[in-house]
Structures are given as C-alpha cells and as structure tokens.
Amino acid sequence: MSMADLIDGQAELDDEENDDSFDEETGEPRTAKRKENRDLEDDSSEEEDDDDEEAARAVREGFIIDDEEDEEPDQRERRRKRERHKKRKEREEEEAALDEEDLDLIGEANPEWERKTTAQPKLKRLKRGHREDNDHHRERNLEEIFDDEELDAPHEYERSFNRPDHQHRVDEFADFIEEDELEDEDERQRHQEEMEVARPRERGYVGSGEATGLDKDALDDMEAIFGNGEDYDWALALEDEEEAREAGEHNLELKDVFEPSQLSEKLLTDEDNQIRWADEPERFQLDRLPYKSLQLSEEQFKEEARWITALIWPKKQLHADLQTPFTRAIGKVLEFFVVDEVEVPYVFQHRKDYLIHARKGRNNNRHNAEDPEFVVTAEKLLNQDDLWRVLELDLKFRALIEKRNVLEKTYDNLKLGLEVRDKTVETMLPIAVTMEELQDIQDYIYFKYSAELKDLAITNGELKEKRRAGGRSTIFDRIRKSKAYELVKAYGITPDQVAQNALKEDRKIYTEDATQTPIDFADSLISENDFRTGDQVLTAARQMYAEELFMNPRMRKHFRMHYYMMGVVDCRRTEKGLKKIDEQHPYYELKYLKNQTLPDIAAKPEMFLKMLKAEEEGLLEVRISLQNESDFMKQLLQDFQSDNFSELADAWNDERKNVLDLAFPKLEKVITKGVKESMRTECQDSILKACREEYSRRLDQAPYKPKGMVLGTIPRVLALSNGKGEASDAVCWAWVEEDGRVLENGKFNNLSRDVQAREDFVELVQRRKPDVLAVAGFSVATHNLIKDIRNLVDERGLRGADFEDADGEERSEPLDVVVVNDEVAKLYQNSPRAALDHPTFPKLTKYCVALAKYMQNPMKEYAALGKDIVSLPFHACQQLLPEDKLRKQLDSAMVDMVNLCGVDINEAIGDPYTAALLPYVCGLGPRKATSVLKAINSNGGVVNTRDELVGDPDSHKLPVVGPRVWNNCASFLSIEYDSSNPMSDYLDNTRVHPEDYELGRKMAADALELDEEDVKAEVDEGGPGAIVRKLIKDDEQEKVNDLILEEYAEQLERNYNQRKRATLETIRAELQQPYEELRRNFAILTDDEIFTMLTGETRESLCEGMIVSANVRVVRDDFVIAKLDSGIEGKAQDSPEDDYLGRSLKGMFSVGQSVQAKLLRLDRADFSAVLGLSAYALRQPYRRRIDREPGCWDMVQEEKDKEALREKDKSTGRAQRVVKHPLFHPFNALQAEEYLGSQSIGDAVIRPSSKGNDHLAVTWKVSDGVYQHIDVLELQKENEFSVGRTLRIGGKYTYSDLDELIVDHVKAMAKKVEEMQRHDKYQSLSRTETENWLTTYTKANPKRSVYAFCIDPKHAGYFLLCFKAGEKSRPMAWPVKIVPNAFELLKSPYPDMRALTNGFKMRHQSEMTKRN
C-alpha cells in the first residue's frame, strides 16, 4: 500500500457518515458531510457553508453526538461498538460476494451473466477512493442486476451513482427519460457544463499527490518514514474477525438477488434444489408431489392392482385365460414403480420378462430326437404405452385414496364424537372406485350431518367463519328439526330405499302409505315457529325429500349408470351460431347434429371437443339426455310408489310423483355435467394418445443412411433453400459435416438459368462429396428448385461419396436429393439458439443448417426445441387440448426414444445438442441433468466408467447421482469403449445394466469355452472386464450365438428367483453390436406431406370441387393461367360447355384480376391444377361431404334457419360487388380475419362494405389476432360498382387509387407497427402482464421509474404506453395511435420512436409540474 492509498483511504468516510440529504430549494440530493475532505476537495466555499449548515441541522435533529467528552466511558465504548457493528454490516452488504456454487448456478441460469472478480479483499478496513473503487470490477447489487440500462452506462459519473451512497441522488425520472443525442457541438458542450454545475459533487473523488501539493519523491519519503499501513493489517484482521463473529456471516443467496419468477423459470428455487438433490427420479418427484405424505397399505396396494386392471383389461383384447397373469403383471409393475422407484424405460428394458406371460408345454410336433421335448410360448401382456398408462393411473388412484381417507376420517369423527351410524356411508364408501362416487358421498355427509359437523368444528376450535344465514344447508336443517320432517318420514320409504330398488341391489322394498292424506297430515304438523299452514308444511316436506333423493349416493350412481349406457348428445345452435356458422365454417358439421351416443363420441373424440369449444364460444349448446327418458322415469316412479289401490294411495302416489318431478331436474343437471366432463377427459386422452403416437413416429427415425454405410452412420449434408422463392431471392446453402460443424455456407443465383451458378453448384458438390442433398422452403417455388437440382444432378452425373460394397470394391451411386421436413428448421431460424450458434449467418442459412442437422439426427433436433415442441402440429385438433397435458405426453415419447438410443455422457459434456437429451434419460430431468453436468465437470470433465457416477473415493471422484437415480440411468448413459484404457469396460458401452454385468461376463466366458481357472487368471490380470475384453479383442463375438440361453434363464429363476430370459437375449445382442441403431430408417416425405409443407393446404382445406380465389397471371384466347392463394398455378381452358356469352377469354379476364374459380382437378405431386371460370361451374357450390347416419341431423331445423336467412336477404336487396384488384375478396369482416390469420403482419384484404356501394372496407393484420377494419369512402364514382377516383379515409387521408391507399396508408402503418415492436421498450405481453412487469421492476428498483409499450388488442391500430413513476405510484397507460408514417400520442404526432419516447417524457414532466 502506497502513501497515496493511505491518504485516499483516510479521506473517504464510512457509509454511516455518508447519509444523503436534500437541498431545501432545488430538492437535489447531496452528501451530508465532508469535514475531513475539506482541505483536499476542490469545492467552493458556498458548498462548504452548505455542509456546515447541514451538520448543524443534523446536530439539532439528534443524528450526530457533538460532544463525546460528555459521555461516560462505558456509554462511549458501547456506542463505538454499535457504530463498528453498523459500519461492518454496511460494508458487508456492499461487498458481500455470492459463493462459488451460487455463482455457477447464476451462470447456468443466465449465460450472458459473467462473474465479476473482486479487486480487493472482502474485509478491507481502509477503503480506496471513489474512482479507484469504481474502476475495479465490483459486485453487482440487487438493483443493478435488474437494470440493463445501468449496466450499459458508459460514463464514469453514471457508474459512481450506482454505489449505495449515491444511488438516490439522481432525479426520480433521470432513468425514465432517454434524451436525444444533441447534434450541435455548442449545445452538447453547454449541456455538459450545466450537468457539471448542477451536480458538482456527484463525481467520484480521488486523492492524489497532485491534490496534496507533494511530488512522488516526497510521497515516497513519507512512506519510508511512516510506513504504508500494512504492518498493522494483522490487528485490523483480528478486529474484523471479532466483528464478524459478533454480527454473524451474511450469505447472499440467489433468492436475495433474483425475482421468484426468474428463479422458477430457471429451476433455481429452493423446491427445485430439493428435487435436484433428492435421490429419487425427478419425474416421480414432480408427479407425486401432491401425494408426498400418502402411504399406501398392503391391502390398498393390492386394491390398486385390481383397480388398474379393471380399467386397462377391457381395451387389451387378450384371451380370458390371461386375466390373472395380467393382474399379476400390473401388480409387479406397480412394485417396480413404487417400491423400487424405477421409471418406465428401466422396467421396459430390464424387467421385460415380467411383462410377458410364458408357458412351457410339450412339443406336439416333435418328430425326431433332435427336436426339443418342450416348447415355450410367450404372450406379451403389457407394452411401453401400457406402462405409461399404469403410471398415470397410479397417480389417479393416489388421489382417490387420499380423498377416501379424508372422508373416512370425517365419518370416524362423527362416529366417535356424536355416535353417528350411517349404513349408506359404511356401505358405499369402501366400494367407491371413482372420484365422482366419492364426491357423491361427501355431498351426502355434508348435507345430512351439516349441523353435527359444525358442532364438531366448534368443539375442536376449527370453525373460522359463520355460515351465511338462510343458506341452503341451514334451510334443510330447519326442516329436519321441525315437525314437517314427520311428513318426510310418512312417504313410506326412505330415499336410500328408493335408490336400492332402482339399482336392484336386493329384494324390492315396498312402500307403505300413511293413514291420512298428505294435506291432512300436513295440517296436523303446522307450527307457529316453523311452518304455519299445511301447504307450507307440504312444500317443505316435498323439497326435503327431493333434496334427500338428489343427495343420495345410490340414486346418483343409478342416474350416472343410465346416462353412460343410454345417454345421447344433441347440439342446438344459438342465435349467435345461427349467424356465424355457415356451410364453410368448421363447426357446420356440428350445427344440427343430434342423437350421438357415447360410443359414437368415443369413435370421434375430436368431434365432441369441437362441440365443447363451440359451446364455450357461445355458438352451440351441447345437451346430454336419456334415449328412453320417459321409460326411465316410469320405472323410477314404480320403484317409489306404493302398489295399493285406494284414494289414499293415489293421493300419496301423486305426492311421490311431485317429489320425483322436483328431484329429476337436479339429478339430471349434476349428472350430465359430470358425464360431460368425463367425456371431455376421455376424448382429450384419445387425442393426446394420437399426438404421442405421431410424435413417436417422427422421433423413430435414424439418421439418413449414406449409401453403403450401416444404419446409424451420420451423413455429411449439403442443404439448400430458396426461402419464399421470390424473384429476388437467392438460393442459400450450408455444408454440415458429420460432427455437426458448419464448415461452409453461401448463396447461388438462379440454378435453372444462371450458368455460373450451376457451375458453382457442381464444383461445390464435386469438392465436398456430400452423402445427400437436403432441400426445403416456404412456397411452391421450392418445388421448382427441387426439379432444377434433380435435373442438374442427372445432367452432370453428380455422385455421392465413395463406399466399399460387399465385394470390397470402391464405388459410388448417384446423389440423392431429399425433401426434408422443415417444421424444426422454421422454429430454429428465428430462435435465440440460432443467433447464439451462428450469429453472422443470414436467417435462411440458419434454416439450411437446421435442415442438415435434422437429417443427421431428428431426435436431437426435436429435443433441442424444449418447451417449443407443443407449437408443432401433431393432430388437427391439438389446439383443443390443455398445453400441460400435451407437453407431458410428448415428453414421455421423447423419454422412450432417448432411452432406446442411449446418451454418450462424455459427448453430452462438450456438446449442448447432446446435453439436451439428458433431461429425458431415465431417472433424470431438467434439474438433475444440469447438476449431473456440473458434477462431472467438477470431477475432471470425463467419465471413465459407469460406477464413477456414484463416486469413487480412490480416484477422488465425487458422486454425480445417488444410488437410486444411478440405478435408473446407468444403462442409458453410454461410455465409449477404449481398448487402450485398462479402466474402460466394454459393457459400459452397451444397453446392459451394471446389475447384469456378471451375466454378460459369464456368457462371454462360456462363449470362449474358458474354465474357472482360466477365468480367474484373466480376471486377476485384467480386472472384472477382462473376459469380455478378450472376447472383443479376439473378435469372437459371434460365438455367443451358440449359447443355449433357455438353460441360463431356468437356472436363474430356479436358484435366484430372477426372470432374465429377455435380459439374456439383450446381453447377447449387445455383446455383438453395442447400442445397435434400433430406430427405423429416415422417413422420406410423401407427395401429400411435401404438398402440405410447401402450400399449407391439406386434403380438407383444398380439394376438388371447391370454389377458390385466384389471381390471373396469363390470358390467351383459349386459356387462362391463374395463381391460387396457396401459390399453385392452375389452367382454365375454353370448352364447349362453358358459357361466356359469346365473349373470348381475353374479353372476360385481364392480368392481375382477382377471380373466383372452381377447382376441377388437383395434382399434388406436380403442384398443378385445372380450374373452371365459367358461370356454369361457379353456380355449383362446393358442399363438403359429411357422412351422416339416419336420424343424426336435424333437417327440419336446418331448413327453417335457411328460410329465415333467405327472407332476411330479400329484405336487404343488396347485390354482390366485385372489384378488380388482387387484394379484393368477397369477404365479410369475420371471413377477412380468418383469411388473414395465417398471413403476415401488414397483409391486407379489400372487401365490400356493409355501408353501401359508395364504401369499401380494408382489413389489415396489425398483429396476431388483431385486425383493423378501415372504412374507405369512394368519391367521383362512374357508376355504382366502379371504384371511386378519390378514396378518403377518416375525412383526413385522400388517395387516388387502391394501390396508393395500400402502399401509403396500410403499409406505412404496418412499418410503424414493426418499428414499435422492434423497440427495446416493447413487451409482447397483455396490458395486465405489462403492468405486473412494471410493478415487479419498481419493487426491485424502488427509486426508479419505468415504462413499456404493449399492444391494445381491444382497439386495433392502437398501442399502450404503460408507465409507473416509482414504487408508490400506480401503473398508468396512455394510448398510442398508429397513423401513416407517425405515432400519435395525446393527439400529437411523432415521426419515430425516439421522438415518441422523448415526447412522452416531456408530457409526463409537464403533468407532474402541473400537479406540484
């Protein structure tokens, strides 16, 4: 330490003496005291006077003890100690650093964050001056971490304000206002001088030799005489240690720095860490979290096996003899899941024998002694999908048991506390097998014993709030306690007995009639306190009995059974649906649907989900009713009424019918609601299963197999694309090696016409020798590119890389051109991952890179999508599914495929693409995967054996995972075998689990025909893996095929009770070819799939017979060529049957005209179409073929609705209008929005206006789901149907034609929208979410103000400027209107975003000034 340092340290005051104060006139914050700096600071005397005044004020207010001599020594000592503690605590808060582990976690959570190194010791007594303190790297405090603007601040004075003692000096809106850079040099200089004068002490101070008037030699002399202070460091350190012991260590944790939402997003909360470190499979922990405290008894465990069997067995369609083995298999699988805590891939791979039922019998076809005497037949009981289903049902059963336990406890409390005995509960509760049945019992208990439960709650002190007076239960409690309940008993049969009769549970219970008529009996029960008339008594009794019927669990069970067996679903259109659902609407097939049975619904699950969606949108009403409702009611009445014949019996039977009429609607409502929800769940499960199967099909693709190579070999790929294929677009390409590196990329011009581009392409192919050419794009023009490339390959004889054929000769074959599925590439090109991987590549080149990598390993590309996987289409109705359920199903498919293929753990350490597979490894998850990689890196970054993963003290290897997780994941993490490394074990590179290594070594020894002594000698010399190593070294793996594994399997089961027959087969296969590629060959797209990929059209959206919009491109006398919206070109020829009223095609059509055409023929392979343009063809509208069963369509209602619409059209009398413009479509507003839904932002549609023929409407897409409808007034029209020569919008903007209007108005506004959405203050959130973000920000930065922009979806063409002026103020929002070439805020236009933001700040300051 130099003398200058010592002086600096003395010159700076501690934090306690750096309290801020504020100027009384200006309100500017300033430093409270600078007494010791007075001789060194270059401040004015006026400022020193201010300091003196502030010090005097502080003394008056009691903040400073002016005279220490007046204190007693003990008081002085205590005060000094308190000051030392306070100083110590403040220094620690400023200088405390996160520990290494937390820093690493921050690095994982935020890759852009870099750890700062502390420039000086944490417990430094003598601080350095301000500038030195700021020039060194320093720890970021909480406010700085969330403040991106402060991190980027380049000026030194801005950095000095970030210190805790300076951060409040800045004006509240200093960060709120981003001033324009002043272009004039004089203005900039004047502004800088004003800033210097305004805040003279906001600059850091550095004491130096110059400030003291001493030169360097004098300072050196002083240091030689007085020392530099380091001699006393030991004393200061001891004092610091004492203070640390007294004050306690303050450890800064992640939750002290980051918002909970950020930690949750990055999986760094305390709960995430518990999951991360617990020795239990991560997916099990997450799924079982709600039932963590639930422990199943042995009897419940057996019950669960029976319960799951009852749900799965009916769908398996196995022989009845296999039901008992099937139940045993279910029980065994549950044991693996619950007791052994192993996941589905482990069970499927290593416990496969328990999923198979094998029977050994005599061989009846034995003809000679060589034939086996016995044969084994095996029947597969459970597949991998069944295992996932069992796991899902295990969770549902746990929820069932948990609810049942709660009900049992409630009933036990009633029995023990109030000696309640209820046969209904005691009978129904143990046999309840669904949540609906348990809910019925709960409703029954809380209805019948509501008063008793309330008394128990009061007794136990659990009642927190009083029940609302006049509530439902209170009314029935009143009836139950009154005389009127005697009339309820007089019905002659209890509600539960009626339900027993209905269920036919036992012999029929007969109803007994009372001795008086109902009304006479009621008159005898009147009371002044309860019910004062007989009618009131009768009504109360009737309602009570109906409610008891409604609440009875048996009665609900009876209703539910009949609705499931005899229920039908009908759709009724609403008034809204009548108007919106036309014949082209996707819900039209449901509009008049009726009499759909539940089996019909099960066969078409998507249909029912569409019904429910249409009901949510208010277009349909979905009703569930009984087919034979009258018969059902009649039978129920017979079970209720008495069989007596008399006027008295008739009176009571009439009363019983009134009760049933009262109870039936209630039962119908609650049961149909439950049935509807159950059907929704079943239909969702069916579509979820279909999505999972489709995803599994896409994942089940090996890398594209190069010619002459084995399946699984990674190809070298040259990928090309022309994007949208517009005339100005070049063909981008990328060359990707087999290791995934992009070694070269570039562009070609037109490959069909440009000779130089064709030569460059040929040179590239001949130089690089790719294994395959990958092509894809965004439009029909890509089809032309594919043809050009294939023609070029054929013309120039381009061939792939050389390979060795079966005869050992070198040869090559013509190069394949493959059209690649680009669903992953489309997401990749715009992703942050692509920007990080290839920051300098054009977007289309990134797209090509993703195409090539997809061909190299589709599974890795899908895994790298992460949460974005749900955005890919797997089913036409997947948007009707809950996203969390869909993601879980898709993840399970990925888990299956990743564990089938295995993951090279050492490759995952260095390759992020491979590391993306780790969360799907058996036993792991996203949390454990990150901890695994971190632990391996701390162990040296290399895994030599699988055993190392649980720790190896001899090699100083720390555990990477716990024993249970290791047991799950070990066999699915492969380690490449290295014959030169004595530690390397061949079996570590196989699917064989370490628990079965001894079996593999035994098989290898038997294959090599080694006796025990030979085996011992080999093992003593080379370790446990020596036998297998010898088998591989001698290249004698084929010998394992000679082993008779059946005898091994029988011996293992007999001696060790282990079923290992399938495991032995796996070992044999793995010894010959470790981790053999088991996926199917790379899937080549069909013509239909290519057509859909390039056009976006499916067979449902575009098919022959449809009337489509087209734009005329070529007109000749005998034919017209027009382009459809999908990009397909169609040809319409003049034919005798076409009626053009004697006019030629040239006279009928012109280039650029938008026309309606009938699609007569569509060639999906050639991307061509034949169109019909005649009036005759267009008069035959397209009707989608809907196969309807007789009696399933309400034709009467349909005809009534059509007639009503025809009458309405007649009353308006408006003719259809057609405008010759490529953007014109005969749409209404809703159709225009639907059409633009798949278009780009800024695209527009010109359409007829409902205001008349002197108006047009323009609808343009502002953002996803936001469309603005612009009214265009036409002036100077030649006739009613021509377009006006002057077009006016809003009385303010005038245009001469539609093209000018689109370019200068719509496109100009679209550019402003794009400019807004590119701004760094724009949030792609709703207003509520944006305001929540502002609130969160200001909570983290209480003294700062913040603003942000978001779209206003309720008012198309408007954005919202949301702002919050500090933590205390409430969020506010000002509307920002988009107008051509400007933004309009509070009726003032601003040309760009910089002007808009500065204008807003000036406006806000003006508003604040007015208020003050």
Side-chain angles (χ1 to χ4, degrees), residues 1221-1252:
H1221 192 277
L1223 295 181
F1224 180 83
H1225 295 276
F1227 293 159
N1228 59 30
L1230 181 63
Q1231 291 170 329
E1233 291 181 4
E1234 290 177 351
Y1235 171 79
L1236 291 171
S1238 59
Q1239 306 297 315
S1240 302
I1241 293 174
D1243 286 354
V1245 164
I1246 303 170
R1247 58 183 180 83
S1249 173
S1250 59
K1251 293 185 176 181

Short mmCIF file of all heavy atoms in Angstrom, two decimals, residues 1221-1252:
data_model
loop_
_atom_site.label_atom_id
_atom_site.label_comp_id
_atom_site.label_asym_id
_atom_site.label_seq_id
_atom_site.Cartn_x
_atom_site.Cartn_y
_atom_site.Cartn_z
N HIS A 1221 -59.01 -6.13 -58.30
CA HIS A 1221 -57.76 -5.85 -57.59
C HIS A 1221 -57.30 -7.14 -56.94
O HIS A 1221 -58.12 -7.91 -56.43
CB HIS A 1221 -57.97 -4.77 -56.52
CG HIS A 1221 -56.68 -4.24 -55.96
ND1 HIS A 1221 -55.99 -4.87 -54.95
CD2 HIS A 1221 -55.95 -3.13 -56.30
CE1 HIS A 1221 -54.90 -4.18 -54.68
NE2 HIS A 1221 -54.84 -3.11 -55.48
N PRO A 1222 -55.98 -7.42 -56.98
CA PRO A 1222 -55.50 -8.71 -56.42
C PRO A 1222 -55.81 -8.90 -54.95
O PRO A 1222 -55.85 -10.03 -54.48
CB PRO A 1222 -53.98 -8.67 -56.67
CG PRO A 1222 -53.66 -7.24 -56.96
CD PRO A 1222 -54.89 -6.66 -57.58
N LEU A 1223 -56.03 -7.81 -54.19
CA LEU A 1223 -56.31 -7.95 -52.77
C LEU A 1223 -57.80 -8.00 -52.46
O LEU A 1223 -58.18 -8.14 -51.30
CB LEU A 1223 -55.67 -6.80 -51.98
CG LEU A 1223 -54.14 -6.72 -51.99
CD1 LEU A 1223 -53.67 -5.55 -51.15
CD2 LEU A 1223 -53.54 -8.02 -51.48
N PHE A 1224 -58.64 -7.88 -53.51
CA PHE A 1224 -60.09 -7.88 -53.24
C PHE A 1224 -60.60 -9.30 -53.05
O PHE A 1224 -60.26 -10.22 -53.80
CB PHE A 1224 -60.84 -7.22 -54.39
CG PHE A 1224 -62.34 -7.20 -54.15
CD1 PHE A 1224 -62.91 -6.21 -53.37
CD2 PHE A 1224 -63.16 -8.19 -54.69
CE1 PHE A 1224 -64.28 -6.20 -53.13
CE2 PHE A 1224 -64.52 -8.18 -54.45
CZ PHE A 1224 -65.09 -7.18 -53.68
N HIS A 1225 -61.43 -9.46 -52.01
CA HIS A 1225 -62.09 -10.74 -51.75
C HIS A 1225 -63.51 -10.45 -51.29
O HIS A 1225 -63.74 -9.50 -50.53
CB HIS A 1225 -61.37 -11.54 -50.66
CG HIS A 1225 -59.99 -11.96 -51.05
ND1 HIS A 1225 -59.72 -13.10 -51.77
CD2 HIS A 1225 -58.78 -11.38 -50.81
CE1 HIS A 1225 -58.43 -13.22 -51.96
NE2 HIS A 1225 -57.82 -12.18 -51.39
N PRO A 1226 -64.46 -11.24 -51.71
CA PRO A 1226 -65.85 -11.02 -51.28
C PRO A 1226 -66.09 -11.54 -49.87
O PRO A 1226 -66.90 -12.44 -49.65
CB PRO A 1226 -66.65 -11.80 -52.33
CG PRO A 1226 -65.74 -12.92 -52.74
CD PRO A 1226 -64.35 -12.35 -52.68
N PHE A 1227 -65.38 -10.98 -48.92
CA PHE A 1227 -65.45 -11.44 -47.54
C PHE A 1227 -66.28 -10.48 -46.71
O PHE A 1227 -66.38 -9.28 -47.03
CB PHE A 1227 -64.05 -11.51 -46.91
CG PHE A 1227 -63.15 -12.56 -47.49
CD1 PHE A 1227 -61.76 -12.46 -47.34
CD2 PHE A 1227 -63.66 -13.65 -48.17
CE1 PHE A 1227 -60.93 -13.43 -47.86
CE2 PHE A 1227 -62.82 -14.62 -48.69
CZ PHE A 1227 -61.46 -14.51 -48.54
N ASN A 1228 -66.82 -10.99 -45.62
CA ASN A 1228 -67.28 -10.12 -44.56
C ASN A 1228 -66.14 -9.93 -43.56
O ASN A 1228 -65.04 -10.48 -43.76
CB ASN A 1228 -68.55 -10.66 -43.89
CG ASN A 1228 -68.34 -12.05 -43.30
OD1 ASN A 1228 -67.23 -12.40 -42.88
ND2 ASN A 1228 -69.40 -12.85 -43.25
N ALA A 1229 -66.39 -9.20 -42.48
CA ALA A 1229 -65.30 -8.89 -41.55
C ALA A 1229 -64.72 -10.15 -40.92
O ALA A 1229 -63.50 -10.31 -40.81
CB ALA A 1229 -65.81 -7.94 -40.46
N LEU A 1230 -65.60 -11.08 -40.51
CA LEU A 1230 -65.13 -12.30 -39.86
C LEU A 1230 -64.31 -13.15 -40.81
O LEU A 1230 -63.25 -13.68 -40.45
CB LEU A 1230 -66.33 -13.10 -39.32
CG LEU A 1230 -65.99 -14.39 -38.59
CD1 LEU A 1230 -65.17 -14.08 -37.33
CD2 LEU A 1230 -67.25 -15.15 -38.21
N GLN A 1231 -64.79 -13.28 -42.06
CA GLN A 1231 -64.05 -14.08 -43.05
C GLN A 1231 -62.70 -13.44 -43.37
O GLN A 1231 -61.72 -14.15 -43.58
CB GLN A 1231 -64.89 -14.22 -44.32
CG GLN A 1231 -66.13 -15.09 -44.14
CD GLN A 1231 -67.06 -15.03 -45.34
OE1 GLN A 1231 -67.14 -14.00 -46.03
NE2 GLN A 1231 -67.76 -16.12 -45.60
N ALA A 1232 -62.68 -12.12 -43.41
CA ALA A 1232 -61.40 -11.44 -43.67
C ALA A 1232 -60.40 -11.73 -42.56
O ALA A 1232 -59.22 -11.98 -42.82
CB ALA A 1232 -61.64 -9.93 -43.80
N GLU A 1233 -60.85 -11.71 -41.30
CA GLU A 1233 -59.95 -12.00 -40.19
C GLU A 1233 -59.46 -13.45 -40.24
O GLU A 1233 -58.28 -13.72 -39.99
CB GLU A 1233 -60.67 -11.72 -38.87
CG GLU A 1233 -60.92 -10.24 -38.62
CD GLU A 1233 -61.61 -10.00 -37.28
OE1 GLU A 1233 -61.81 -10.97 -36.53
OE2 GLU A 1233 -61.94 -8.82 -36.98
N GLU A 1234 -60.37 -14.37 -40.58
CA GLU A 1234 -59.96 -15.77 -40.69
C GLU A 1234 -58.94 -15.96 -41.81
O GLU A 1234 -57.98 -16.71 -41.67
CB GLU A 1234 -61.18 -16.65 -40.93
CG GLU A 1234 -62.12 -16.75 -39.72
CD GLU A 1234 -63.36 -17.57 -40.01
OE1 GLU A 1234 -63.57 -17.90 -41.20
OE2 GLU A 1234 -64.11 -17.86 -39.08
N TYR A 1235 -59.15 -15.27 -42.93
CA TYR A 1235 -58.22 -15.37 -44.05
C TYR A 1235 -56.84 -14.81 -43.69
O TYR A 1235 -55.81 -15.41 -44.00
CB TYR A 1235 -58.79 -14.63 -45.25
CG TYR A 1235 -57.81 -14.49 -46.41
CD1 TYR A 1235 -57.58 -15.55 -47.27
CD2 TYR A 1235 -57.13 -13.30 -46.62
CE1 TYR A 1235 -56.69 -15.43 -48.32
CE2 TYR A 1235 -56.24 -13.16 -47.68
CZ TYR A 1235 -56.02 -14.23 -48.52
OH TYR A 1235 -55.13 -14.12 -49.55
N LEU A 1236 -56.83 -13.67 -43.00
CA LEU A 1236 -55.56 -13.03 -42.65
C LEU A 1236 -54.87 -13.72 -41.48
O LEU A 1236 -53.71 -13.41 -41.18
CB LEU A 1236 -55.79 -11.56 -42.30
CG LEU A 1236 -56.20 -10.65 -43.46
CD1 LEU A 1236 -56.62 -9.28 -42.95
CD2 LEU A 1236 -55.06 -10.52 -44.47
N GLY A 1237 -55.58 -14.63 -40.81
CA GLY A 1237 -55.00 -15.29 -39.64
C GLY A 1237 -53.68 -15.97 -39.93
O GLY A 1237 -52.76 -15.97 -39.11
N SER A 1238 -53.55 -16.57 -41.13
CA SER A 1238 -52.31 -17.27 -41.49
C SER A 1238 -51.36 -16.41 -42.29
O SER A 1238 -50.30 -16.88 -42.71
CB SER A 1238 -52.65 -18.54 -42.29
OG SER A 1238 -53.37 -18.21 -43.47
N GLN A 1239 -51.73 -15.15 -42.53
CA GLN A 1239 -50.88 -14.25 -43.32
C GLN A 1239 -49.91 -13.49 -42.41
O GLN A 1239 -49.96 -13.58 -41.19
CB GLN A 1239 -51.76 -13.26 -44.10
CG GLN A 1239 -52.82 -13.92 -44.95
CD GLN A 1239 -52.25 -14.80 -46.04
OE1 GLN A 1239 -51.31 -14.41 -46.73
NE2 GLN A 1239 -52.80 -15.99 -46.20
N SER A 1240 -49.03 -12.72 -43.04
CA SER A 1240 -48.02 -11.96 -42.29
C SER A 1240 -48.62 -10.65 -41.78
O SER A 1240 -49.64 -10.17 -42.30
CB SER A 1240 -46.82 -11.66 -43.18
OG SER A 1240 -46.25 -12.84 -43.69
N ILE A 1241 -47.97 -10.10 -40.76
CA ILE A 1241 -48.39 -8.80 -40.23
C ILE A 1241 -48.22 -7.74 -41.33
O ILE A 1241 -47.19 -7.68 -42.00
CB ILE A 1241 -47.56 -8.44 -38.98
CG1 ILE A 1241 -47.89 -9.41 -37.84
CG2 ILE A 1241 -47.80 -7.00 -38.56
CD1 ILE A 1241 -47.04 -9.23 -36.62
N GLY A 1242 -49.23 -6.92 -41.51
CA GLY A 1242 -49.20 -5.90 -42.56
C GLY A 1242 -49.96 -6.29 -43.80
O GLY A 1242 -50.26 -5.44 -44.65
N ASP A 1243 -50.31 -7.60 -43.95
CA ASP A 1243 -51.10 -8.02 -45.12
C ASP A 1243 -52.52 -7.50 -44.98
O ASP A 1243 -53.04 -7.33 -43.86
CB ASP A 1243 -51.09 -9.54 -45.23
CG ASP A 1243 -49.75 -10.07 -45.74
OD1 ASP A 1243 -48.90 -9.24 -46.09
OD2 ASP A 1243 -49.56 -11.29 -45.78
N ALA A 1244 -53.15 -7.27 -46.13
CA ALA A 1244 -54.45 -6.62 -46.12
C ALA A 1244 -55.41 -7.30 -47.08
O ALA A 1244 -55.00 -8.02 -48.00
CB ALA A 1244 -54.32 -5.13 -46.46
N VAL A 1245 -56.69 -7.05 -46.87
CA VAL A 1245 -57.77 -7.54 -47.73
C VAL A 1245 -58.69 -6.36 -48.02
O VAL A 1245 -59.07 -5.62 -47.11
CB VAL A 1245 -58.55 -8.69 -47.05
CG1 VAL A 1245 -59.87 -8.92 -47.76
CG2 VAL A 1245 -57.74 -9.96 -47.06
N ILE A 1246 -59.02 -6.18 -49.29
CA ILE A 1246 -60.04 -5.20 -49.69
C ILE A 1246 -61.34 -5.97 -49.86
O ILE A 1246 -61.37 -7.01 -50.52
CB ILE A 1246 -59.64 -4.48 -50.99
CG1 ILE A 1246 -58.27 -3.80 -50.83
CG2 ILE A 1246 -60.70 -3.45 -51.38
CD1 ILE A 1246 -57.70 -3.28 -52.14
N ARG A 1247 -62.42 -5.46 -49.30
CA ARG A 1247 -63.68 -6.22 -49.31
C ARG A 1247 -64.87 -5.26 -49.40
O ARG A 1247 -64.72 -4.05 -49.18
CB ARG A 1247 -63.79 -7.07 -48.06
CG ARG A 1247 -63.72 -6.30 -46.76
CD ARG A 1247 -63.75 -7.19 -45.55
NE ARG A 1247 -63.69 -6.45 -44.31
CZ ARG A 1247 -64.74 -5.89 -43.71
NH1 ARG A 1247 -65.94 -6.00 -44.27
NH2 ARG A 1247 -64.62 -5.24 -42.58
N PRO A 1248 -66.03 -5.80 -49.74
CA PRO A 1248 -67.22 -4.94 -49.78
C PRO A 1248 -67.54 -4.38 -48.40
O PRO A 1248 -67.23 -4.99 -47.39
CB PRO A 1248 -68.33 -5.89 -50.26
CG PRO A 1248 -67.62 -7.04 -50.87
CD PRO A 1248 -66.31 -7.17 -50.16
N SER A 1249 -68.19 -3.25 -48.38
CA SER A 1249 -68.55 -2.61 -47.12
C SER A 1249 -70.04 -2.76 -46.87
O SER A 1249 -70.86 -2.70 -47.81
CB SER A 1249 -68.18 -1.13 -47.15
OG SER A 1249 -68.67 -0.48 -46.00
N SER A 1250 -70.40 -2.92 -45.62
CA SER A 1250 -71.81 -3.02 -45.26
C SER A 1250 -72.50 -1.67 -45.31
O SER A 1250 -73.72 -1.58 -45.18
CB SER A 1250 -71.94 -3.61 -43.85
OG SER A 1250 -71.26 -2.80 -42.91
N LYS A 1251 -71.72 -0.59 -45.52
CA LYS A 1251 -72.30 0.76 -45.54
C LYS A 1251 -72.87 1.13 -46.90
O LYS A 1251 -73.41 2.22 -47.06
CB LYS A 1251 -71.25 1.78 -45.12
CG LYS A 1251 -70.82 1.65 -43.67
CD LYS A 1251 -69.87 2.75 -43.26
CE LYS A 1251 -69.52 2.65 -41.78
NZ LYS A 1251 -68.61 3.72 -41.34
N GLY A 1252 -72.68 0.27 -47.91
CA GLY A 1252 -73.22 0.56 -49.22
C GLY A 1252 -72.16 0.50 -50.29
O GLY A 1252 -70.96 0.29 -50.03
#
